Amino acid sequence: MSLLGKLFAILNIVAAAAFVVVAGMDWGQRQRWAYAVYRHDLLIDGLPVDDKEKDRDDSPRVKKLTDPLLAVILPAGTGTPVRTQEQEVERLRGLVRDKVGSADVAGTRSQKLARYLLPLAATGRERDSLIQYSSAPQDDRVAEELEKRLNEQFDGAKEAAPDGHKRSLSERKANAARVLFCLGEALHEDATTDFFASPAYKRFVNVVGLTGAARAADDQSLVLQQMTEEAVKAHEAERQLFIYEHKQIIDRTVDISDEEERQRRFLNAKEKEVADAKALVEQRKVQIGKLKDRLKELQQTTADKLADQAKAEQEVMDRLIDLRNTSKENQELERRIRAKEQELSKGR
């Protein structure tokens, strides 16, 4: 081989070595960029909803989740590591179940279930009923119903729905994000730190992703906005009812005042009549007293007259008796005279 051939051979070897080095550097950089893109996508999309969810390469996403990676994205001290959103929801279900069954947590079973369901309320009426249950005495029937409703919220991250249809991937992620977002704050017990600045919230964001967290916050804000509108409407309705009832009370008060004035005038008139009647009664009493005295005098005079009359009647009676006796004597004398006259007429 000539010197030029040898030189070209050496140059080919050097170029091949350089190519291998550059290719290795390119491959390493590509791997770093691919990992950075994967971490970026993982931050946006969060953990897979279950073991079946696949990536763009039609490979299960869960296979790329190594233990070191999970140790990075799931803050220490926030609970056991999970690989899917469904597992995180089940972990949260266990935490709530433990809180409800713990004697260290204040309240009855139905009260605690109502308190954990309260952040998940979708309407103002549902929220009001849960607030009532959270302070009402223990009711086993209510506790059973509340536990069923709470489990339905957790089951929203599962593929199979109670009515038999299969939930879509986006629906399951939305349900999981909402449950984790709403109950995460309810389970946050450190009063010294805000939930949104806590490791638990960072874990929530990493599990559901920035997209899921933003959607959950947006959905919850819409729910709260709707509740606010319902509360405003209810308040306005109550205000209108208060205005109407207040006007009715004022009208009744005015009517009562007018009636009271009429009754007062009527009472004054009657009191005057009573006063006049009392004065007349006093006059009549005086007159009656005088008449009684006069009556006594007349009764005494009548008694005296009656006594004189009785005396006169007795005298008349005595005269009549005398007259009767005299009449009898006259009749007897007359009879004797006739008898003598008959005797004389016979002697002739």
Side-chain angles (χ1 to χ4, degrees):
M1 181 182 294
S2 64
L3 181 61
L4 184 61
K6 293 179 180 180
L7 181 61
F8 276 115
I10 293 172
L11 290 175
N12 286 333
I13 294 173
V14 172
F19 177 79
V20 171
V21 172
V22 171
M25 293 174 60
D26 180 71
W27 184 84
Q29 186 64 32
R30 184 181 182 281
Q31 289 298 109
R32 286 193 293 271
W33 286 351
Y35 182 73
V37 170
Y38 171 71
R39 287 293 306 274
H40 183 268
D41 291 341
L42 187 63
L43 179 62
I44 294 175
D45 298 333
L47 298 179
V49 70
D50 59 12
D51 297 338
K52 301 177 183 178
E53 184 180 352
K54 297 181 180 181
D55 57 14
R56 297 183 183 91
D57 299 329
D58 201 29
S59 176
R61 292 184 58 201
V62 72
K63 288 184 177 180
K64 296 181 179 180
L65 296 173
T66 62
D67 291 338
L69 178 58
L70 291 176
V72 173
I73 65 175
L74 300 179
T78 59
T80 57
V82 295
R83 295 180 178 274
T84 64
Q85 295 183 24
E86 188 175 351
Q87 291 178 0
E88 179 70 1
V89 171
E90 291 301 319
R91 185 187 72 86
L92 197 68
R93 190 205 297 260
L95 290 177
V96 173
R97 186 183 294 114
D98 292 341
K99 293 288 185 182
V100 172
S102 175
D104 297 332
V105 180
T108 63
R109 181 176 181 81
S110 58
Q111 290 174 350
K112 288 183 281 190
L113 287 168
R115 286 201 297 268
Y116 286 115
L117 266 173
L118 187 61
L120 296 168
T123 63
R125 180 176 298 180
E126 182 182 1
R127 182 178 179 85
D128 292 340
S129 65
L130 289 173
I131 291 175
Q132 293 180 353
Y133 289 145
S134 64
S135 58
Q138 169 64 20
D139 189 326
D140 294 337
R141 183 184 59 81
V142 172
E144 183 178 354
E145 175 62 25
L146 294 179
E147 186 173 12
K148 178 181 177 182
R149 289 163 56 181
L150 188 60
N151 285 326
E152 288 176 354
Q153 294 288 339
F154 287 119
D155 292 338
K158 294 182 178 181
E159 183 177 8
D163 56 3
H165 85 279
K166 291 185 178 181
R167 298 186 179 92
S168 64
L169 196 65
S170 60
E171 183 182 1
R172 296 170 63 192
K173 286 186 175 182
N175 292 338
R178 183 171 186 271
V179 170
L180 295 175
F181 177 72
C182 295
L183 287 180
E185 186 173 8
L187 291 171
H188 183 66
E189 299 177 347
D190 189 0
T192 60
T193 60
D194 184 65
F195 170 68
F196 296 97
S198 65
Y201 179 72
K202 182 179 180 182
R203 177 188 178 109
F204 157 72
V205 173
N206 290 338
V207 169
V208 302
L210 292 174
T211 302
R215 184 180 294 112
D218 186 58
D219 291 344
Q220 187 64 11
S221 68
L222 292 176
V223 171
L224 294 177
Q225 182 179 358
Q226 181 180 358
M227 288 185 185
T228 302
E229 292 175 355
E230 291 177 0
V232 170
K233 290 180 181 179
H235 178 73
E236 180 63 20
E238 291 178 357
R239 189 178 72 86
Q240 293 297 332
L241 179 61
F242 171 79
I243 292 174
Y244 173 76
E245 292 180 347
H246 184 66
K247 185 177 181 303
Q248 295 295 317
I249 291 173
I250 292 176
D251 293 341
R252 287 198 298 270
T253 303
V254 171
D255 294 339
I256 292 173
S257 178
D258 294 340
E259 181 64 22
E260 189 272 336
E261 180 64 23
R262 288 192 296 269
Q263 293 295 333
R264 187 178 61 81
R265 291 196 298 267
F266 180 75
L267 178 61
N268 291 337
K270 291 301 180 182
E271 287 178 348
K272 185 176 182 305
E273 292 179 4
V274 170
D276 295 341
K278 286 182 178 179
L280 182 61
V281 168
E282 293 298 326
Q283 293 177 3
R284 293 291 185 266
K285 285 182 178 179
V286 173
Q287 292 176 359
I288 290 172
K290 292 180 179 179
L291 290 174
K292 285 182 177 179
D293 294 339
R294 179 61 179 165
L295 179 61
K296 287 181 180 180
E297 293 176 359
L298 293 174
Q299 286 176 344
Q300 185 62 41
T301 302
T302 301
D304 295 341
K305 295 294 184 181
L306 289 173
D308 294 339
Q309 181 181 356
K311 184 177 179 182
E313 289 177 352
Q314 185 63 39
E315 291 178 355
V316 170
M317 182 62 68
D318 292 341
R319 295 293 184 274
L320 289 173
I321 292 172
D322 291 341
L323 180 60
R324 186 195 62 186
N325 293 333
T326 303
S327 176
K328 286 182 178 182
E329 290 176 359
N330 290 335
Q331 290 176 0
E332 180 65 25
L333 291 174
E334 185 178 358
R335 186 184 64 77
R336 290 177 181 181
I337 291 172
R338 287 177 181 174
K340 289 293 184 181
E341 285 178 354
Q342 288 177 0
E343 288 177 1
L344 291 175
S345 62
K346 287 179 178 183
R348 292 177 181 174

